[in-house]
Amino acid sequence: YDLINGLEKLVEDKFISRQLDDSKMLRVYKYSKQTFWNNSWGESELLLKARGLVLDPAGNIVSHPLDKCFNYLENGTGADLSDDLPVIGVEKLNGFLGIISAHPLNKGELLVHTQGGFGGPFVQYIRDFITPAVKGQLLKYLSQNDVTLMFEVLHESDPHIVAYPKEMMGLHLLAVRGKKVTDKAWKEDAVDVAGAQMGLRRAAWRRMTFGEAREFLRTTQTEGLMVR
């Protein structure tokens, strides 16, 4: 219960917001606006995990999205990295994060949510792209792999600065992660395999040096790169 108790204490202190699903059995946690605007990340390491993390009543992780990450030089991030350091650069699409796991309570259903909630228009935007065929592929994969799937979601009703053609709308598989608290995101080549098995589009990625990543962003019109 250490994880759930720690998160609930941060909810009480208003560092995290928490929303329950309709059954009142699942809880999704996201860092609060107060935490973001006050740059309060040093208050607790759990704030970095509160980015759409979903727990059941016993404190088990049932949906495990990526931890909070920071822009280059934000809070000193990346300041100590040399230009010749090998990195992975994942192209950042200008959409929003959609999160899907196997539903822990309703067998044969998907748990679909955003960083901050189980309902609302953005959850519906994700569901708009889950056709019966896509749902079947997702359920089949998740029945054999106890993981959380993360997507960059591009939807015509959610316009951003970057304009994408209609054929780019949909779900772009961004990451896969196991549900143990110590599980890390899968490596990109493993996510490629998962995407192919489910018939899903992937976010583009490449191996490069950190200096090449910075030069790419300086000379290319793109939303950005997720670098690790």
Side-chain angles (χ1 to χ4, degrees), residues 99-101 103 110-114 117-119 123 126-127 130:
I99 308 163
I100 300 177
S101 296
H103 203 292
L110 297 169
L111 177 62
V112 181
H113 63 100
T114 60
F118 298 103
V123 171
I126 303 169
R127 292 189 179 278
I130 304 177

Side-chain angles (χ1 to χ4, degrees), residues 93-154:
L93 297 174
N94 197 203
F96 70 93
L97 181 64
I99 308 163
I100 300 177
S101 296
H103 203 292
L105 304 177
N106 302 327
K107 188 175 181 180
E109 294 296 330
L110 297 169
L111 177 62
V112 181
H113 63 100
T114 60
Q115 295 180 57
F118 298 103
F122 286 90
V123 171
Q124 185 55 51
Y125 293 162
I126 303 169
R127 292 189 179 278
D128 286 345
F129 298 118
I130 304 177
T131 64
V134 170
K135 180 179 179 180
Q137 289 292 88
L138 292 171
L139 286 172
K140 179 180 178 181
Y141 187 82
L142 292 172
S143 70
Q144 300 167 354
N145 301 272
D146 190 23
V147 296
T148 295
L149 307 174
M150 286 147 278
F151 299 86
E152 195 75 39
V153 185
L154 302 180

Side-chain angles (χ1 to χ4, degrees), residues 7-228:
L7 290 167
E8 287 296 322
K9 179 62 168 62
L10 290 167
V11 171
E12 292 177 13
D13 295 338
K14 303 190 184 306
F15 288 109
I16 287 177
S17 63
R18 182 242 294 128
Q19 186 182 108
L20 301 179
D21 75 330
D22 290 341
S23 72
K24 310 299 182 186
M25 298 291 285
L26 303 178
R27 314 175 187 196
V28 60
Y29 296 90
K30 185 185 179 184
Y31 53 82
S32 66
K33 293 180 180 179
Q34 167 187 299
T35 293
F36 181 83
W37 293 116
N38 294 338
N39 200 34
S40 302
W41 307 109
E43 292 291 334
S44 171
E45 291 184 356
L46 290 180
L47 292 175
L48 302 180
K49 293 203 72 65
R51 189 173 177 250
L53 184 73
V54 179
L55 304 184
D56 67 13
N60 299 305
I61 296 175
V62 297
S63 192
H64 196 190
L66 297 172
D67 294 356
K68 167 68 177 172
C69 56
F70 297 97
N71 291 324
Y72 178 52
L73 298 183
E74 184 181 6
N75 296 318
T77 301
D80 58 340
L81 302 183
S82 63
D83 278 350
D84 60 355
L85 179 72
V87 299
I88 297 292
V90 182
E91 185 175 347
K92 177 72 173 67
L93 297 174
N94 197 203
F96 70 93
L97 181 64
I99 308 163
I100 300 177
S101 296
H103 203 292
L105 304 177
N106 302 327
K107 188 175 181 180
E109 294 296 330
L110 297 169
L111 177 62
V112 181
H113 63 100
T114 60
Q115 295 180 57
F118 298 103
F122 286 90
V123 171
Q124 185 55 51
Y125 293 162
I126 303 169
R127 292 189 179 278
D128 286 345
F129 298 118
I130 304 177
T131 64
V134 170
K135 180 179 179 180
Q137 289 292 88
L138 292 171
L139 286 172
K140 179 180 178 181
Y141 187 82
L142 292 172
S143 70
Q144 300 167 354
N145 301 272
D146 190 23
V147 296
T148 295
L149 307 174
M150 286 147 278
F151 299 86
E152 195 75 39
V153 185
L154 302 180
H155 196 284
E156 291 177 318
S157 297
D158 177 42
H160 287 268
I161 295 173
V162 179
Y164 294 103
K166 188 172 182 178
E167 57 268 23
M168 284 289 289
M169 299 295 115
L171 306 177
H172 299 257
L173 184 62
L174 179 64
V176 180
R177 190 178 193 180
K179 296 179 183 176
K180 296 178 182 177
V181 71
T182 55
D183 282 342
K184 306 295 184 182
W186 286 13
K187 294 182 178 180
E188 297 300 328
D189 51 2
V191 183
D192 283 345
V193 173
Q197 290 176 346
M198 290 181 279
L200 299 171
R201 287 180 290 186
R202 276 281 284 129
W205 65 278
R206 68 195 73 183
R207 292 183 173 88
M208 55 178 65
T209 66
F210 188 60
E212 289 171 339
R214 294 202 297 160
E215 181 64 13
F216 174 81
L217 293 178
R218 189 183 70 81
T219 59
T220 307
Q221 290 186 338
T222 182
E223 169 67 11
L225 289 174
M226 298 291 290
V227 174
R228 68 181 186 191

